[in-house]
Amino acid sequence: MDRQRRSLKVGHWADAHLDQFATCTGKIVRDQAGNNIRWLDRVRCLQAACDGAVREQCDLAVDAGDLFDTYRPPPGEYVEALRMYSGLAHVMPVIVCGSNHGTGQSAFDAQDIEPLRQVPGLHVVTRPERLVIETKIGQVQVYVLPHPRRSALR
């Protein structure tokens, strides 16, 4: 075989904790325009991770959990996540993994990341799963083990 194979390049991050009400030492601190500076910082950090994955020409992006800080994020947090991950999913497949912050107490509570399923190219994983994903370099298998619900462990 004369064909050269390139290694799979994965952009990987976790713990964005998007939270419009994030605090600095227990208080919401606002800039001159009235924006919560911790919220803006978290959005910029996640955007930098997405931009870095594109700049580095990754084949796959993986958010390993805690995208949001609570399992019931307000609409503004979804808007930002959808904006960033929709753009990224146009360039490469994206996996978003369920986490402890996104899991309600009841087995009937939806995971915080469920609404992101509407984005083509975005794989939302809330239970153990093997994914087969088509990338620029061919098919890859990814085994995802999200944070389990307490009710599932009994």
Side-chain angles (χ1 to χ4, degrees):
M1 265 194 169
D2 214 20
R3 191 174 90 177
Q4 285 186 333
R5 290 192 76 176
R6 179 169 77 73
S7 296
L8 178 69
K9 204 169 194 182
V10 178
H12 176 273
W13 56 85
D15 297 305
H17 290 277
L18 293 181
D19 179 5
Q20 290 180 306
F21 307 104
T23 61
C24 295
T25 63
K27 297 178 184 172
I28 293 178
V29 179
R30 299 191 182 279
D31 63 13
Q32 290 180 339
N35 299 306
N36 179 339
I37 63 169
R38 288 294 296 136
W39 159 246
L40 294 177
D41 181 50
R42 292 176 186 193
V43 169
R44 283 188 206 114
C45 288
L46 183 56
Q47 186 65 60
C50 293
D51 292 346
V54 172
R55 183 179 57 254
E56 295 298 322
Q57 300 178 349
C58 292
D59 303 301
L60 176 67
V62 178
D63 180 328
D66 288 342
L67 174 59
F68 301 108
D69 204 46
T70 175
Y71 80 99
R72 288 190 178 156
E77 294 172 24
Y78 280 117
V79 168
E80 283 300 321
L82 285 167
R83 179 186 63 77
M84 286 185 263
Y85 284 165
S86 293
L88 186 58
H90 282 293
V91 180
M92 69 190 70
V94 180
I95 298 171
V96 180
C97 189
S99 61
N100 63 321
H101 284 266
T103 304
Q105 297 300 315
S106 166
F108 301 106
D109 289 335
Q111 288 255 345
D112 61 347
I113 58 176
E114 292 290 344
L116 302 178
R117 287 190 190 277
Q118 65 183 307
V119 178
L122 188 65
H123 304 270
V124 173
V125 183
T126 58
R127 57 181 2 143
E129 189 173 348
R130 177 182 67 95
L131 301 174
V132 178
I133 298 174
E134 194 64 44
T135 70
K136 292 178 278 189
I137 66 166
Q139 278 189 346
V140 297
Q141 290 184 53
V142 181
Y143 291 86
V144 185
L145 183 61
H147 186 272
R149 293 177 184 262
R150 285 186 189 144
S151 58
L153 297 175
R154 295 175 194 189

